[in-house]
Amino acid sequence: MTENAIDTDNNESDDEESAPKDFGKRQKVGLTRKSCCSNGTLSGSYHLVRRLTRFLRIAGMAEFGEDMFNISKFSIFQPGPSQTKDQVCKVKDHHASHVVRLKIAPDAAKVGPFHDCLKKYLGHTHCVHRKFNLRIGKEIDTLQGKMLPILLSINWRKENPNQLSAGAANVLNTIKNEWLKLLKIAIATPSYHVEQFGELGKAVSFIEAMSLNVLYRKTRVGIDYMLAAEKIRNEIGEKIKIYFESKNKKK
């Protein structure tokens, strides 16, 4: 029986479904957003999976910046710590942990509305147990920086979601497998409580169940994120309309 990943508690305003809704009778791998505590914190599995899917959005955001602001997609993001944080987590033993840990490159920082949207995106955090931030979190921080040029090496605009090129499939598989490798190493390390091991295991199962098509669609959500930004629309509304129309024609 084929497993597929689906988010069962997805009410974060800028998030999206993790897999197609037409699963039929196939088995589903559930992902719960909230932690077992009733204090507004998020589950470790949700955070770890989102660190992958939100990272993939970077591809679409970079291509959008290249198309709309004439900035090379390689000159928009760079490895390094995020410069802002959207919350302070005051729950004991929990941290406000960045979801995507990258910096805005100098060229992108010069474009006001675009810079503001990137700043908001990179400042987004989840309030999760500190071990998911200090241990596996630091490993993922490094991995996101390492995978950035690999993710951007593909022209995702030209990819057909129903028949990805060998290069695109290889990039998505590489990123997915690197994520899984870190998670499995963490599971083999006696540094977590029983519940935390369970969260790591859920994240592994969820990511393993994500198809290449689902991962590809995460790269396109980055474009949708930018199109939805009010500051961007106000600045270059007509240009966005033309861009959106051309994007629809390519589908």
Side-chain angles (χ1 to χ4, degrees), residues 94-110:
H94 285 66
H95 289 174
S97 307
H98 282 101
V99 182
V100 177
R101 189 179 185 274
L102 296 171
K103 293 173 62 176
I104 301 172
D107 286 353
K110 299 174 184 177

Side-chain angles (χ1 to χ4, degrees), residues 78-94:
Q78 62 186 36
S82 302
Q83 302 299 302
T84 57
K85 183 176 286 191
D86 61 4
Q87 65 175 315
V88 175
C89 185
K90 297 182 179 180
V91 180
K92 183 180 179 181
D93 290 330
H94 285 66

Side-chain angles (χ1 to χ4, degrees), residues 12-15 33 40-43 46-47 50-51 54 81-90 94-101 118-128 133 141 225:
E12 193 159 352
S13 60
D14 63 339
D15 220 328
R33 182 174 182 268
T41 60
L42 302 184
S43 69
Y46 180 89
H47 176 66
R50 287 291 168 256
R51 294 211 64 182
R54 298 287 179 86
S82 302
Q83 302 299 302
T84 57
K85 183 176 286 191
D86 61 4
Q87 65 175 315
V88 175
C89 185
K90 297 182 179 180
H94 285 66
H95 289 174
S97 307
H98 282 101
V99 182
V100 177
R101 189 179 185 274
L118 299 180
K119 184 178 176 182
K120 177 182 178 182
Y121 191 79
L122 297 180
H124 183 54
T125 60
H126 289 158
C127 187
V128 295
N133 183 40
D141 289 346
Y225 178 86

Side-chain angles (χ1 to χ4, degrees), residues 23-140:
F23 290 105
K25 297 181 179 179
R26 291 174 291 176
Q27 183 178 348
K28 300 174 186 177
V29 179
L31 185 68
T32 302
R33 182 174 182 268
K34 297 178 182 178
S35 72
C36 58
C37 306
S38 57
N39 53 13
T41 60
L42 302 184
S43 69
S45 56
Y46 180 89
H47 176 66
L48 295 170
V49 170
R50 287 291 168 256
R51 294 211 64 182
L52 168 60
T53 61
R54 298 287 179 86
F55 172 71
L56 292 175
R57 288 186 188 182
I58 292 295
M61 296 172 72
E63 288 179 349
F64 180 89
E66 189 169 63
D67 292 339
M68 302 302 293
F69 299 104
N70 199 30
I71 308 170
S72 167
K73 65 179 181 179
F74 298 102
S75 300
I76 294 175
F77 299 98
Q78 62 186 36
S82 302
Q83 302 299 302
T84 57
K85 183 176 286 191
D86 61 4
Q87 65 175 315
V88 175
C89 185
K90 297 182 179 180
V91 180
K92 183 180 179 181
D93 290 330
H94 285 66
H95 289 174
S97 307
H98 282 101
V99 182
V100 177
R101 189 179 185 274
L102 296 171
K103 293 173 62 176
I104 301 172
D107 286 353
K110 299 174 184 177
V111 183
F114 186 50
H115 172 263
D116 291 343
C117 290
L118 299 180
K119 184 178 176 182
K120 177 182 178 182
Y121 191 79
L122 297 180
H124 183 54
T125 60
H126 289 158
C127 187
V128 295
H129 194 280
R130 60 185 178 83
K131 286 193 175 181
F132 294 117
N133 183 40
L134 297 177
R135 296 182 182 277
I136 183 67
K138 288 190 177 297
E139 297 292 334
I140 294 177

Side-chain angles (χ1 to χ4, degrees), residues 1-6 19 23 26-29 204-211:
M1 184 178 294
T2 303
E3 290 187 329
N4 288 273
I6 184 170
F23 290 105
R26 291 174 291 176
Q27 183 178 348
K28 300 174 186 177
V29 179
V204 167
S205 296
F206 193 92
I207 293 173
E208 285 181 336
M210 297 179 81
S211 67

